[in-house]
Amino acid sequence: MIKITNIKKSFNENTVLDGISFDVKKGDVIAIIGPSGTGKSTLLRCLNYLEKADAGEIDFDGEKIDFTNITKEQISSLRKKTSMVFQQWNLFKKKTVLQNVMLGLTVVQKLPKEEARKIAIEELTKVKMADRLNYYPQHLSGGQQQRVAIARAIAMNPELILFDEPTSALDPELVGEVLETIQKLANEGNTMIIVSHEMNFVRKVATKVIFMEKGKIVESGTAEEIFSYPKNERTRQFLINNQINISPEYSI
């Protein structure tokens, strides 16, 4: 189990994360929803140490990392345990699809090229990109590039995959293929935290939903609890604004 405790982050005097704590069990798909600017993406970046949290702790099955006293070795360990899929796919333009996925395996994990190639092809096959191995990113659609980015993330065999608005930069007609890929990963038992505005997808895929606002967790529960029977008025209003039908049995 992964335990996230009291994550705090401020930029100057602006508090972005104000004591975020929650647990992640193996195979969980945790979706974080909430209005823009409430710290959701910053939280993911702190968990992968792309942003330095001011305080807090993450515990991977007993291996505790305190963000206030983190060492270089712990940063390396944290990044090996987590992989992140960004809003923008961030592929290397001068490398092929296959080379993009192999890079982390050869540089970070120090695998032999043939082993890295085998793993990369396996993961690209999973995301239906095996027929584009020798293509360069500029010859792919946005949805295809994001699927390559997902293959790159899962090729590292992380304990936790972080998705930061993985469809927000895509044209509407390309969103479905990426969501289908993420759904497949969820069905395979991958442990994931997803920040998304795709409410219907979140409702379908998430084992747990966290609603955040102003750097705090306002409410959390199963998808059914949050989407059908929200306990907090602010959660209710957010869902209504996103055209989610609240159960008529809802009451404060």
Side-chain angles (χ1 to χ4, degrees):
M1 186 174 74
I2 302 166
K3 189 175 183 63
I4 295 160
T5 307
N6 199 33
I7 303 295
K8 296 183 178 181
K9 177 66 180 177
S10 296
F11 293 102
N12 298 320
E13 296 182 358
N14 180 29
T15 299
V16 179
L17 299 173
D18 192 7
I20 301 296
S21 300
F22 59 95
D23 295 339
V24 186
K25 296 179 181 177
K26 185 175 177 60
D28 267 353
V29 179
I30 295 185
I32 303 177
I33 63 173
S36 298
T38 198
K40 304 183 300 294
S41 294
T42 300
L43 174 61
L44 293 193
R45 292 176 67 85
C46 285
L47 296 180
N48 199 34
Y49 208 75
L50 294 174
E51 290 281 358
K52 184 181 184 301
D54 299 327
E57 184 178 277
I58 184 167
D59 183 337
F60 279 90
D61 292 322
E63 182 182 344
K64 295 182 180 180
I65 297 174
D66 185 341
F67 287 112
T68 57
N69 297 296
I70 192 168
T71 65
K72 289 182 179 180
E73 291 76 16
Q74 287 176 323
I75 293 172
S76 177
S77 175
L78 183 61
R79 289 178 176 166
K80 287 178 182 178
K81 292 176 182 292
T82 61
S83 283
M84 191 157 177
V85 178
F86 301 88
Q87 297 178 24
Q88 299 289 343
W89 24 93
N90 295 332
L91 300 179
F92 291 99
K93 295 180 180 180
K94 295 184 178 181
K95 293 186 180 296
T96 65
V97 164
L98 182 59
Q99 290 170 338
N100 265 281
V101 179
M102 286 178 60
L103 189 62
L105 296 169
T106 56
V107 174
V108 178
Q109 295 192 355
K110 309 296 184 184
L111 295 183
K113 283 189 176 180
E114 281 308 308
E115 185 177 351
R117 176 184 173 85
K118 180 181 178 181
I119 292 171
I121 292 174
E122 287 176 355
E123 301 307 341
L124 285 164
T125 300
K126 286 182 182 179
V127 301
K128 299 181 180 179
M129 290 298 295
D131 60 340
R132 297 289 192 273
L133 298 183
N134 296 315
Y135 282 57
Y136 288 89
Q138 63 264 33
H139 299 134
L140 304 176
S141 70
Q144 289 172 328
Q145 290 188 62
Q146 189 63 296
R147 281 187 279 151
V148 173
I150 292 172
R152 179 178 60 186
I154 61 177
M156 302 298 286
N157 195 29
E159 294 183 32
L160 177 64
I161 309 173
L162 307 169
F163 290 90
D164 184 14
E165 293 285 3
T167 61
S168 66
L170 298 178
D171 293 333
E173 65 268 23
L174 301 177
V175 169
E177 65 188 61
V178 173
L179 295 183
E180 180 182 346
T181 299
I182 298 172
Q183 176 73 68
K184 183 179 178 181
L185 294 178
N187 293 343
E188 291 173 353
N190 289 281
T191 307
M192 302 186 284
I193 301 177
I194 304 173
V195 169
S196 180
H197 286 295
E198 300 285 344
M199 293 297 106
N200 289 327
F201 174 71
V202 165
R203 190 171 194 168
K204 179 180 178 182
V205 74
T207 58
K208 181 179 181 179
V209 178
I210 293 173
F211 175 67
M212 281 181 61
E213 186 175 50
K214 297 180 180 179
K216 295 183 178 182
I217 294 177
V218 174
E219 185 171 357
S220 65
T222 65
E224 179 65 15
E225 288 169 343
I226 296 298
F227 283 92
S228 295
Y229 307 100
K231 297 177 181 178
N232 188 282
E233 173 62 25
R234 183 63 189 95
T235 311
R236 176 180 180 272
Q237 194 58 54
F238 174 82
L239 293 172
I240 290 173
N241 290 343
N242 280 274
Q243 300 180 329
I244 300 297
N245 293 322
I246 306 298
S247 169
E249 299 176 21
Y250 166 84
S251 62
I252 298 293

